[in-house]
Amino acid sequence: MEDDYLLAQVLTDFLEQADFHVVGPVGSLEEALALVENEPGSFDGAILDINLHGSNSYPVADALVARSIPFLFATGYGRDALEGRYRDHPRCEKPFDQATLLSVFGALFNNRAA
């Protein structure tokens, strides 16, 4: 979930090069919520930008948590700028490189309970 088209393309390229299948990108809160609510089985994890055209992605994060779908925040905000319940959630601070993103994203799946 990224509202900057060029960054969304970079993220997509990073993930596809690492053999992830990308659903999206999704650029709006409404579109992301619809995807989570109507097609939760179509993806196994998510990357969320926090600020989306002035709205925040916390409603999407809440919906993902409710469905036990792992995600990370890709954001320019530091830890202290996140809402309290998400301060310790995995994140990549922008700008980040491919190795960092893939390391943090991959760890989401390695840490899942079997």
Side-chain angles (χ1 to χ4, degrees):
M1 186 169 136
E2 173 61 57
D3 61 352
D4 179 298
Y5 178 78
L6 293 176
L7 185 52
Q9 285 306 121
V10 168
L11 288 169
T12 298
D13 290 346
F14 282 177
L15 293 167
E16 287 177 344
Q17 289 171 15
D19 292 327
F20 284 96
H21 172 74
V22 177
V23 177
V26 175
S28 73
L29 182 63
E30 295 78 16
E31 187 180 3
L33 282 171
L35 182 65
V36 173
E37 292 172 3
N38 300 325
E39 301 179 51
S42 68
F43 60 96
D44 298 318
I47 299 173
L48 307 179
D49 184 9
I50 292 178
N51 186 343
L52 300 165
H53 302 293
S55 298
N56 68 54
S57 63
Y58 294 125
V60 177
D62 294 340
L64 292 168
V65 167
R67 290 165 178 79
S68 299
I69 298 171
F71 66 94
L72 68 84
F73 291 112
T75 180
Y77 298 119
R79 177 185 178 277
D80 292 340
L82 278 73
E83 282 192 6
R85 69 185 187 271
Y86 288 116
R87 283 201 179 120
D88 293 323
H89 202 81
R91 71 185 189 297
C92 284
E93 288 188 35
K94 296 176 186 176
F96 49 79
D97 59 27
Q98 183 176 17
T100 301
L101 175 73
L102 295 177
S103 175
V104 175
F105 195 62
L108 292 176
F109 301 102
N110 294 333
N111 293 332
R112 281 183 97 169

